[in-house]
Amino acid sequence: MAVILVERSFEEPVCFEELQAREDQASGCLEAYGVTFIRTFLSTDARRMVCLYDAPDAEAVRSAEREAGMPFDRVWSAEHLTAPPDDANS
């Protein structure tokens, strides 16, 4: 599985609860493509959103999002990186 990021932008501020309800209704689409939701980040002005998913690949997420009728700007694979410990205080 890969970590997939979905970027969304909106002309007007969105209601997170309404979008979440829409995605919940379309959960079968995600499941059909082997996509699992991880987390969502919504900008403070509610006009941009980034969603994280576990999925076989970015195309599986694109397909699921299209079938669910969810808007997106970009979908791309990512790698989770962790900063090394700060040894300056050792």
Side-chain angles (χ1 to χ4, degrees):
M1 295 297 266
V3 174
I4 309 297
L5 278 87
V6 174
E7 297 178 47
R8 307 180 201 279
S9 58
F10 309 98
E11 297 273 331
E12 299 292 327
V14 296
C15 174
F16 172 74
E17 290 78 12
E18 289 175 12
L19 276 178
Q20 186 61 52
R22 214 167 127 188
E23 184 133 341
D24 290 347
Q25 288 178 330
S27 63
C29 296
L30 297 178
E31 195 174 300
Y33 289 94
V35 176
T36 303
F37 170 78
I38 300 173
R39 178 170 293 141
T40 293
F41 299 91
L42 181 63
S43 65
T44 54
D45 67 0
R47 296 176 75 168
R48 286 175 299 205
M49 180 182 279
V50 174
C51 300
L52 302 175
Y53 297 91
D54 273 331
D57 54 36
E59 190 54 39
V61 175
R62 283 186 201 99
S63 296
E65 294 289 295
R66 283 185 191 112
E67 193 169 309
M70 294 296 291
F72 63 86
D73 300 326
R74 289 178 227 32
V75 177
W76 46 279
S77 298
E79 183 178 346
H80 180 252
L81 304 174
T82 303
D86 183 9
D87 292 333
N89 296 323
S90 302

Coordinates of all heavy atoms in Angstrom, one line a residue:
M1 N 0.8 -1.2 0.0 CA 0.0 0.0 0.0 C 0.9 1.2 0.0 O 2.0 1.2 0.5 CB -0.9 0.0 1.2 CG -1.9 -1.1 1.3 SD -3.1 -1.1 -0.1 CE -4.4 -0.2 0.7
A2 N 0.3 2.3 -0.6 CA 1.1 3.6 -0.6 C 0.2 4.6 0.1 O -1.0 4.5 0.2 CB 1.2 4.0 -2.1
V3 N 0.9 5.7 0.5 CA 0.2 6.8 1.1 C -0.1 7.7 -0.1 O 0.8 8.1 -0.9 CB 1.1 7.6 2.1 CG1 0.4 8.9 2.6 CG2 1.4 6.7 3.3
I4 N -1.3 8.1 -0.3 CA -1.8 8.9 -1.4 C -2.4 10.2 -0.8 O -3.2 10.2 0.1 CB -2.8 8.2 -2.2 CG1 -2.4 6.8 -2.6 CG2 -3.2 9.1 -3.4 CD1 -1.1 6.8 -3.5
L5 N -1.9 11.4 -1.4 CA -2.5 12.7 -1.0 C -3.5 13.1 -2.1 O -3.2 13.0 -3.3 CB -1.4 13.7 -0.8 CG -0.7 13.7 0.5 CD1 0.4 12.7 0.5 CD2 -0.2 15.0 0.9
V6 N -4.6 13.7 -1.6 CA -5.5 14.3 -2.5 C -5.7 15.8 -2.2 O -5.9 16.1 -1.0 CB -6.9 13.6 -2.4 CG1 -8.0 14.4 -3.2 CG2 -6.8 12.2 -2.8
E7 N -5.4 16.6 -3.1 CA -5.6 18.1 -2.9 C -6.9 18.5 -3.5 O -7.2 18.2 -4.6 CB -4.4 18.8 -3.6 CG -3.0 18.5 -3.1 CD -2.0 19.3 -3.9 OE1 -2.1 20.5 -4.1 OE2 -1.0 18.6 -4.3
R8 N -7.6 19.3 -2.7 CA -8.9 19.9 -3.2 C -8.9 21.4 -2.9 O -8.3 21.9 -2.0 CB -10.1 19.3 -2.4 CG -10.1 17.8 -2.4 CD -11.3 17.3 -1.5 NE -11.2 16.0 -1.0 CZ -11.4 14.9 -1.7 NH1 -11.8 14.9 -3.0 NH2 -11.3 13.7 -1.2
S9 N -9.5 22.1 -3.8 CA -9.7 23.6 -3.6 C -11.2 23.9 -4.0 O -11.8 23.2 -4.8 CB -8.7 24.4 -4.5 OG -8.9 24.1 -5.8
F10 N -11.7 24.9 -3.3 CA -13.1 25.3 -3.4 C -13.2 26.8 -3.7 O -12.5 27.6 -3.1 CB -13.8 24.9 -2.2 CG -13.6 23.5 -1.8 CD1 -12.7 23.2 -0.8 CD2 -14.3 22.5 -2.4 CE1 -12.5 21.9 -0.4 CE2 -14.1 21.1 -2.0 CZ -13.2 20.8 -1.0
E11 N -14.1 27.2 -4.6 CA -14.4 28.6 -4.8 C -14.8 29.3 -3.6 O -14.5 30.5 -3.3 CB -15.5 28.7 -5.9 CG -15.1 28.2 -7.2 CD -14.3 29.1 -8.1 OE1 -14.6 30.4 -8.0 OE2 -13.5 28.7 -8.9
E12 N -15.7 28.7 -2.8 CA -16.3 29.2 -1.6 C -15.9 28.3 -0.4 O -15.6 27.2 -0.6 CB -17.8 29.3 -1.7 CG -18.3 30.2 -2.8 CD -18.1 31.6 -2.6 OE1 -18.1 32.1 -1.5 OE2 -17.8 32.3 -3.6
P13 N -15.9 28.9 0.8 CA -15.6 28.0 1.9 C -16.6 26.8 2.0 O -17.8 27.0 1.7 CB -15.8 28.9 3.1 CG -15.6 30.3 2.6 CD -16.1 30.3 1.2
V14 N -16.1 25.7 2.4 CA -16.9 24.5 2.4 C -17.2 24.1 3.9 O -16.5 24.5 4.8 CB -16.2 23.3 1.8 CG1 -16.1 23.5 0.3 CG2 -14.9 22.9 2.4
C15 N -18.3 23.4 4.0 CA -18.6 22.8 5.3 C -18.0 21.4 5.4 O -18.4 20.5 4.6 CB -20.2 22.8 5.5 SG -20.7 21.9 7.0
F16 N -17.1 21.2 6.3 CA -16.4 19.9 6.4 C -17.4 18.8 6.6 O -17.3 17.7 6.0 CB -15.4 19.9 7.5 CG -14.8 18.6 7.8 CD1 -13.9 18.0 6.9 CD2 -15.2 17.8 8.9 CE1 -13.4 16.8 7.1 CE2 -14.7 16.5 9.1 CZ -13.8 16.0 8.2
E17 N -18.4 19.0 7.5 CA -19.4 17.9 7.8 C -20.2 17.5 6.6 O -20.5 16.3 6.4 CB -20.3 18.4 8.9 CG -19.7 18.5 10.3 CD -18.8 19.8 10.5 OE1 -18.9 20.7 9.6 OE2 -18.1 19.8 11.4
E18 N -20.5 18.5 5.7 CA -21.2 18.1 4.5 C -20.4 17.3 3.5 O -20.8 16.3 2.9 CB -21.7 19.4 3.7 CG -22.8 20.1 4.5 CD -23.2 21.4 3.8 OE1 -22.8 21.7 2.7 OE2 -24.0 22.2 4.4
L19 N -19.1 17.7 3.4 CA -18.2 16.9 2.5 C -18.0 15.5 3.1 O -17.9 14.5 2.4 CB -16.8 17.6 2.4 CG -16.7 18.6 1.3 CD1 -15.4 19.3 1.3 CD2 -17.0 18.1 -0.1
Q20 N -17.8 15.4 4.4 CA -17.6 14.1 5.1 C -18.8 13.2 4.9 O -18.7 12.0 4.6 CB -17.3 14.3 6.6 CG -16.9 13.0 7.2 CD -15.7 12.4 6.7 OE1 -14.6 13.1 6.6 NE2 -15.7 11.1 6.3
A21 N -20.0 13.8 5.0 CA -21.2 13.0 4.8 C -21.3 12.5 3.3 O -21.6 11.3 3.1 CB -22.5 13.9 5.1
R22 N -20.8 13.3 2.4 CA -20.8 12.9 1.0 C -19.8 11.7 0.8 O -20.1 10.8 0.1 CB -20.4 14.1 0.1 CG -21.0 14.2 -1.2 CD -20.8 15.5 -1.8 NE -20.2 15.4 -3.1 CZ -19.7 16.4 -3.8 NH1 -19.7 17.6 -3.3 NH2 -19.2 16.2 -4.9
E23 N -18.7 11.9 1.4 CA -17.7 10.8 1.3 C -18.1 9.5 2.0 O -17.9 8.4 1.5 CB -16.3 11.3 1.8 CG -15.2 10.2 1.6 CD -13.9 10.8 1.0 OE1 -13.9 11.9 0.5 OE2 -12.9 10.1 1.2
D24 N -18.8 9.7 3.1 CA -19.3 8.5 3.9 C -20.3 7.8 3.0 O -20.3 6.5 3.0 CB -19.9 8.9 5.2 CG -18.9 9.4 6.2 OD1 -17.7 9.2 6.0 OD2 -19.4 10.0 7.2
Q25 N -21.1 8.5 2.3 CA -22.1 7.8 1.4 C -21.5 7.1 0.3 O -22.0 6.1 -0.2 CB -23.1 8.9 0.8 CG -24.1 9.4 1.8 CD -25.0 10.5 1.2 OE1 -24.5 11.2 0.2 NE2 -26.2 10.6 1.7
A26 N -20.3 7.5 -0.1 CA -19.6 6.9 -1.2 C -18.5 6.0 -0.8 O -17.6 5.6 -1.5 CB -19.0 8.0 -2.1
S27 N -18.5 5.5 0.5 CA -17.5 4.7 1.0 C -17.3 3.4 0.3 O -16.2 2.8 0.2 CB -17.7 4.4 2.5 OG -18.9 3.7 2.7
G28 N -18.4 2.9 -0.4 CA -18.3 1.7 -1.2 C -17.3 1.9 -2.4 O -16.7 0.9 -2.8
C29 N -17.3 3.1 -2.9 CA -16.3 3.4 -4.0 C -14.9 3.2 -3.5 O -14.1 2.6 -4.2 CB -16.5 4.8 -4.5 SG -18.2 5.1 -5.3
L30 N -14.6 3.8 -2.4 CA -13.2 3.6 -1.8 C -12.9 2.1 -1.6 O -11.9 1.7 -2.0 CB -13.1 4.4 -0.5 CG -13.3 5.9 -0.5 CD1 -13.1 6.5 0.9 CD2 -12.3 6.5 -1.5
E31 N -13.8 1.4 -1.0 CA -13.6 0.0 -0.7 C -13.4 -0.8 -2.0 O -12.6 -1.7 -2.1 CB -14.9 -0.5 0.0 CG -14.6 -1.8 0.7 CD -15.8 -2.2 1.6 OE1 -16.2 -1.5 2.5 OE2 -16.4 -3.3 1.3
A32 N -14.2 -0.5 -3.0 CA -14.1 -1.2 -4.3 C -12.7 -1.1 -4.9 O -12.3 -2.0 -5.6 CB -15.2 -0.7 -5.3
Y33 N -12.0 0.0 -4.7 CA -10.7 0.2 -5.2 C -9.6 0.0 -4.2 O -8.4 0.3 -4.5 CB -10.6 1.7 -5.8 CG -11.4 1.9 -7.0 CD1 -12.7 2.4 -7.0 CD2 -10.9 1.5 -8.3 CE1 -13.5 2.6 -8.1 CE2 -11.6 1.7 -9.4 CZ -12.9 2.2 -9.3 OH -13.7 2.4 -10.5
G34 N -9.9 -0.6 -3.1 CA -8.9 -0.9 -2.1 C -8.3 0.3 -1.4 O -7.2 0.3 -0.9
V35 N -9.1 1.4 -1.3 CA -8.7 2.7 -0.7 C -9.2 2.8 0.7 O -10.3 2.6 1.0 CB -9.2 3.9 -1.6 CG1 -8.8 5.2 -0.9 CG2 -8.6 3.7 -3.0
T36 N -8.3 3.2 1.6 CA -8.7 3.4 3.0 C -8.3 4.8 3.4 O -7.2 5.3 3.3 CB -7.9 2.4 4.0 OG1 -8.1 1.1 3.5 CG2 -8.3 2.6 5.4
F37 N -9.3 5.5 4.0 CA -9.1 6.9 4.5 C -8.2 6.9 5.7 O -8.3 6.0 6.6 CB -10.5 7.5 4.8 CG -10.4 8.8 5.6 CD1 -10.1 10.0 4.9 CD2 -10.5 8.9 6.9 CE1 -10.0 11.2 5.5 CE2 -10.4 10.1 7.6 CZ -10.2 11.2 6.9
I38 N -7.3 7.9 5.7 CA -6.4 8.1 6.9 C -6.8 9.4 7.7 O -7.1 9.3 8.8 CB -4.9 8.2 6.5 CG1 -4.5 6.9 5.8 CG2 -4.1 8.4 7.7 CD1 -3.1 7.0 5.2
R39 N -6.7 10.5 7.0 CA -6.9 11.8 7.7 C -7.2 12.9 6.7 O -6.8 12.8 5.5 CB -5.5 12.1 8.4 CG -5.5 13.4 9.1 CD -4.3 13.5 10.0 NE -4.4 12.6 11.1 CZ -3.4 11.9 11.5 NH1 -2.2 12.0 11.1 NH2 -3.6 11.0 12.5
T40 N -7.8 14.0 7.2 CA -8.1 15.2 6.4 C -7.6 16.4 7.1 O -7.7 16.5 8.3 CB -9.6 15.3 6.1 OG1 -10.0 14.2 5.3 CG2 -9.9 16.6 5.4
F41 N -7.0 17.3 6.3 CA -6.6 18.7 6.8 C -7.4 19.7 6.0 O -7.4 19.7 4.8 CB -5.1 18.9 6.6 CG -4.3 17.9 7.3 CD1 -3.9 16.8 6.7 CD2 -3.8 18.2 8.6 CE1 -3.1 15.8 7.3 CE2 -3.0 17.3 9.3 CZ -2.6 16.1 8.6
L42 N -8.1 20.6 6.7 CA -8.9 21.7 6.1 C -8.2 23.0 6.4 O -7.9 23.3 7.6 CB -10.3 21.6 6.6 CG -11.3 22.6 6.0 CD1 -11.5 22.4 4.5 CD2 -12.6 22.6 6.7
S43 N -8.0 23.8 5.4 CA -7.4 25.2 5.7 C -8.3 26.0 6.6 O -9.5 25.8 6.6 CB -7.1 25.9 4.4 OG -8.3 26.2 3.7
T44 N -7.7 26.9 7.3 CA -8.5 27.8 8.2 C -9.6 28.6 7.5 O -10.6 28.9 8.1 CB -7.6 28.7 9.1 OG1 -6.8 29.4 8.2 CG2 -6.8 27.8 10.0
D45 N -9.4 28.9 6.2 CA -10.4 29.6 5.4 C -11.4 28.7 4.8 O -12.3 29.1 4.1 CB -9.8 30.5 4.4 CG -9.0 29.8 3.3 OD1 -9.0 28.6 3.2 OD2 -8.5 30.5 2.4
A46 N -11.2 27.4 5.0 CA -12.2 26.3 4.5 C -12.3 26.3 3.0 O -13.3 25.9 2.4 CB -13.5 26.4 5.1
R47 N -11.2 26.7 2.3 CA -11.2 26.7 0.8 C -10.2 25.8 0.2 O -10.2 25.6 -1.0 CB -11.0 28.1 0.3 CG -12.1 29.1 0.7 CD -11.8 30.5 0.3 NE -12.1 30.5 -1.1 CZ -12.2 31.6 -1.8 NH1 -12.0 32.8 -1.1 NH2 -12.4 31.7 -3.1
R48 N -9.4 25.1 1.0 CA -8.5 24.1 0.6 C -8.5 22.9 1.5 O -8.7 23.1 2.7 CB -7.1 24.7 0.5 CG -6.9 25.6 -0.7 CD -5.6 26.2 -0.7 NE -5.5 27.0 0.6 CZ -4.8 28.0 0.8 NH1 -3.9 28.4 -0.1 NH2 -4.8 28.6 1.9
M49 N -8.2 21.8 1.0 CA -8.2 20.5 1.8 C -7.2 19.6 1.2 O -6.9 19.5 0.0 CB -9.6 19.9 1.7 CG -9.8 18.6 2.4 SD -11.5 18.0 2.2 CE -12.4 19.0 3.4
V50 N -6.6 18.8 2.1 CA -5.7 17.8 1.8 C -6.2 16.5 2.5 O -6.4 16.6 3.7 CB -4.2 18.1 2.2 CG1 -3.3 16.9 1.9 CG2 -3.7 19.3 1.4
C51 N -6.3 15.4 1.8 CA -6.8 14.2 2.4 C -5.7 13.1 2.2 O -5.1 13.1 1.1 CB -8.1 13.7 1.7 SG -9.4 14.9 1.9
L52 N -5.5 12.3 3.1 CA -4.6 11.2 3.1 C -5.3 9.9 3.0 O -6.3 9.6 3.8 CB -3.6 11.2 4.3 CG -2.8 12.4 4.6 CD1 -2.1 12.3 5.9 CD2 -1.9 12.7 3.4
Y53 N -4.8 9.0 2.2 CA -5.4 7.6 2.0 C -4.3 6.6 1.9 O -3.2 6.9 1.5 CB -6.2 7.5 0.7 CG -7.4 8.5 0.7 CD1 -7.3 9.7 0.1 CD2 -8.6 8.1 1.1 CE1 -8.4 10.6 0.1 CE2 -9.7 8.9 1.1 CZ -9.6 10.2 0.6 OH -10.7 11.0 0.5
D54 N -4.6 5.4 2.3 CA -3.8 4.2 2.0 C -4.4 3.6 0.8 O -5.7 3.4 0.8 CB -3.8 3.2 3.1 CG -2.7 3.4 4.2 OD1 -1.7 4.0 3.9 OD2 -3.0 3.0 5.3
A55 N -3.7 3.3 -0.2 CA -4.2 2.7 -1.4 C -3.2 2.0 -2.2 O -2.0 2.2 -2.0 CB -4.8 3.8 -2.3
P56 N -3.6 1.1 -3.2 CA -2.6 0.4 -4.0 C -1.8 1.4 -4.8 O -0.6 1.2 -5.0 CB -3.5 -0.4 -4.9 CG -4.8 -0.6 -4.2 CD -5.0 0.7 -3.4
D57 N -2.4 2.5 -5.3 CA -1.7 3.5 -6.0 C -2.6 4.7 -6.2 O -3.7 4.7 -5.8 CB -1.2 3.0 -7.4 CG -2.4 2.4 -8.2 OD1 -3.5 2.9 -8.2 OD2 -2.1 1.4 -8.9
A58 N -2.0 5.8 -6.8 CA -2.7 7.1 -7.0 C -3.9 6.9 -7.9 O -5.0 7.5 -7.7 CB -1.8 8.2 -7.5
E59 N -3.8 6.0 -8.9 CA -4.9 5.9 -9.9 C -6.1 5.2 -9.2 O -7.2 5.6 -9.6 CB -4.4 5.0 -11.1 CG -5.4 5.0 -12.2 CD -5.9 6.4 -12.7 OE1 -5.0 7.3 -12.7 OE2 -7.1 6.6 -13.0
A60 N -5.9 4.3 -8.2 CA -7.0 3.8 -7.5 C -7.8 4.8 -6.8 O -9.0 4.8 -6.8 CB -6.5 2.7 -6.5
V61 N -7.1 5.8 -6.2 CA -7.8 6.9 -5.5 C -8.5 7.8 -6.5 O -9.6 8.2 -6.3 CB -6.8 7.7 -4.6 CG1 -7.4 8.9 -4.0 CG2 -6.2 6.8 -3.5
R62 N -7.8 8.1 -7.6 CA -8.5 9.0 -8.6 C -9.8 8.3 -9.1 O -10.8 9.0 -9.2 CB -7.6 9.2 -9.8 CG -6.5 10.1 -9.6 CD -5.7 10.4 -10.9 NE -4.4 10.9 -10.6 CZ -3.3 10.2 -10.5 NH1 -3.2 8.9 -10.8 NH2 -2.1 10.8 -10.2
S63 N -9.7 7.0 -9.4 CA -10.9 6.3 -9.8 C -12.0 6.3 -8.8 O -13.2 6.6 -9.1 CB -10.6 4.9 -10.2 OG -9.7 4.8 -11.3
A64 N -11.7 6.1 -7.5 CA -12.7 6.1 -6.5 C -13.3 7.5 -6.3 O -14.5 7.6 -6.1 CB -12.0 5.6 -5.2
E65 N -12.4 8.5 -6.3 CA -12.9 9.9 -6.1 C -13.8 10.3 -7.3 O -14.9 10.9 -7.1 CB -11.7 10.8 -6.0 CG -10.9 10.6 -4.8 CD -11.6 11.0 -3.5 OE1 -11.9 12.2 -3.4 OE2 -11.8 10.2 -2.7
R66 N -13.5 9.9 -8.5 CA -14.3 10.2 -9.7 C -15.7 9.5 -9.5 O -16.7 10.1 -9.7 CB -13.7 9.8 -11.0 CG -12.6 10.7 -11.4 CD -12.1 10.3 -12.8 NE -10.8 11.1 -13.1 CZ -9.6 10.5 -13.2 NH1 -9.5 9.2 -13.0 NH2 -8.6 11.3 -13.4
E67 N -15.6 8.3 -9.2 CA -16.9 7.5 -9.1 C -17.8 8.0 -8.0 O -19.0 8.0 -8.1 CB -16.5 6.0 -8.8 CG -17.7 5.1 -9.0 CD -17.3 3.6 -9.0 OE1 -16.4 3.3 -9.8 OE2 -18.0 2.9 -8.3
A68 N -17.1 8.5 -6.9 CA -17.9 9.1 -5.7 C -18.4 10.5 -6.0 O -19.1 11.0 -5.2 CB -17.0 9.0 -4.5
G69 N -17.9 11.1 -7.1 CA -18.3 12.5 -7.4 C -17.6 13.5 -6.5 O -18.1 14.6 -6.3
M70 N -16.5 13.1 -5.9 CA -15.7 14.0 -5.0 C -14.7 14.9 -5.9 O -14.0 14.3 -6.7 CB -14.9 13.3 -4.0 CG -15.8 12.5 -3.0 SD -16.8 13.6 -2.0 CE -15.6 14.4 -1.0
P71 N -14.7 16.2 -5.7 CA -13.8 17.1 -6.4 C -12.4 16.9 -6.0 O -12.1 16.6 -4.8 CB -14.3 18.5 -6.1 CG -14.9 18.3 -4.7 CD -15.5 17.0 -4.7
F72 N -11.4 17.0 -6.9 CA -10.0 17.0 -6.5 C -9.2 17.8 -7.6 O -9.6 17.8 -8.7 CB -9.5 15.6 -6.3 CG -9.5 14.7 -7.5 CD1 -8.4 14.7 -8.4 CD2 -10.5 13.9 -7.7 CE1 -8.4 13.9 -9.5 CE2 -10.6 13.0 -8.8 CZ -9.5 13.1 -9.7
D73 N -8.1 18.4 -7.1 CA -7.2 19.1 -8.0 C -6.1 18.2 -8.5 O -5.7 18.1 -9.6 CB -6.6 20.3 -7.4 CG -7.7 21.3 -7.0 OD1 -8.7 21.4 -7.7 OD2 -7.5 22.0 -6.0
R74 N -5.5 17.5 -7.5 CA -4.3 16.6 -7.7 C -4.4 15.4 -6.8 O -4.9 15.5 -5.7 CB -3.0 17.3 -7.5 CG -2.7 18.4 -8.4 CD -1.4 19.1 -8.0 NE -1.2 20.5 -8.0 CZ -2.1 21.4 -7.8 NH1 -3.3 21.1 -7.5 NH2 -1.9 22.7 -7.8
V75 N -3.9 14.3 -7.3 CA -3.7 13.1 -6.5 C -2.3 12.6 -6.7 O -1.9 12.4 -7.9 CB -4.8 12.0 -6.9 CG1 -4.6 10.7 -6.1 CG2 -6.2 12.5 -6.8
W76 N -1.6 12.4 -5.7 CA -0.2 11.9 -5.8 C 0.3 11.0 -4.7 O -0.2 11.1 -3.6 CB 0.8 13.1 -6.0 CG 0.6 14.3 -5.1 CD1 -0.3 15.3 -5.2 CD2 1.4 14.6 -4.0 NE1 -0.1 16.2 -4.2 CE2 0.9 15.8 -3.4 CE3 2.5 13.9 -3.3 CZ2 1.5 16.4 -2.3 CZ3 3.0 14.5 -2.2 CH2 2.5 15.7 -1.7
S77 N 1.2 10.2 -5.0 CA 1.8 9.3 -4.0 C 2.8 10.0 -3.2 O 3.5 10.9 -3.7 CB 2.5 8.1 -4.7 OG 1.6 7.4 -5.4
A78 N 3.0 9.6 -1.9 CA 3.9 10.3 -1.0 C 4.6 9.2 -0.2 O 4.2 8.1 -0.1 CB 3.2 11.3 -0.1
E79 N 5.7 9.7 0.5 CA 6.4 8.8 1.4 C 6.5 9.5 2.7 O 6.7 10.7 2.8 CB 7.8 8.6 0.9 CG 8.7 7.7 1.7 CD 10.1 7.5 1.1 OE1 10.3 7.9 -0.1 OE2 10.9 7.0 1.8
H80 N 6.2 8.8 3.8 CA 6.2 9.4 5.1 C 7.6 9.4 5.6 O 8.3 8.4 5.7 CB 5.3 8.6 6.1 CG 5.3 9.1 7.5 ND1 6.0 8.5 8.5 CD2 4.8 10.2 8.0 CE1 5.8 9.2 9.6 NE2 5.1 10.3 9.3
L81 N 8.1 10.6 5.9 CA 9.5 10.8 6.4 C 9.5 11.3 7.8 O 8.6 12.1 8.1 CB 10.3 11.8 5.5 CG 10.3 11.4 4.0 CD1 10.9 12.5 3.2 CD2 11.0 10.1 3.8
T82 N 10.4 10.9 8.6 CA 10.5 11.4 10.0 C 11.9 12.0 10.1 O 12.9 11.5 9.7 CB 10.4 10.2 10.9 OG1 9.2 9.5 10.7 CG2 10.5 10.7 12.4
A83 N 11.9 13.2 10.7 CA 13.2 13.9 10.9 C 14.0 13.1 11.9 O 13.5 12.6 12.9 CB 12.9 15.3 11.5
P84 N 15.3 13.1 11.7 CA 16.2 12.4 12.7 C 16.2 13.2 14.0 O 15.9 14.4 14.0 CB 17.6 12.5 12.0 CG 17.5 13.6 11.0 CD 16.0 13.7 10.6
P85 N 16.5 12.5 15.1 CA 16.5 13.2 16.4 C 17.5 14.3 16.4 O 18.6 14.2 15.7 CB 16.9 12.1 17.4 CG 17.0 10.8 16.6 CD 16.9 11.1 15.1
D86 N 17.2 15.3 17.1 CA 18.1 16.5 17.2 C 19.2 16.1 18.2 O 19.0 16.1 19.4 CB 17.3 17.7 17.7 CG 18.2 18.9 17.8 OD1 19.4 18.9 17.3 OD2 17.7 20.0 18.3
D87 N 20.4 15.9 17.7 CA 21.5 15.5 18.6 C 22.3 16.7 19.2 O 23.2 16.6 20.0 CB 22.6 14.6 17.8 CG 22.0 13.3 17.5 OD1 21.1 12.8 18.2 OD2 22.4 12.7 16.5
A88 N 21.8 17.9 18.8 CA 22.5 19.1 19.3 C 22.4 19.2 20.8 O 23.3 19.9 21.4 CB 21.9 20.3 18.6
N89 N 21.4 18.7 21.5 CA 21.3 18.8 22.9 C 21.8 17.6 23.7 O 21.5 17.5 24.8 CB 19.8 19.0 23.3 CG 19.3 20.3 22.7 OD1 20.0 21.3 22.7 ND2 18.0 20.3 22.2
S90 N 22.5 16.7 23.0 CA 23.0 15.5 23.6 C 24.3 15.7 24.4 O 25.1 16.5 24.1 CB 23.3 14.4 22.6 OG 22.1 14.1 21.9

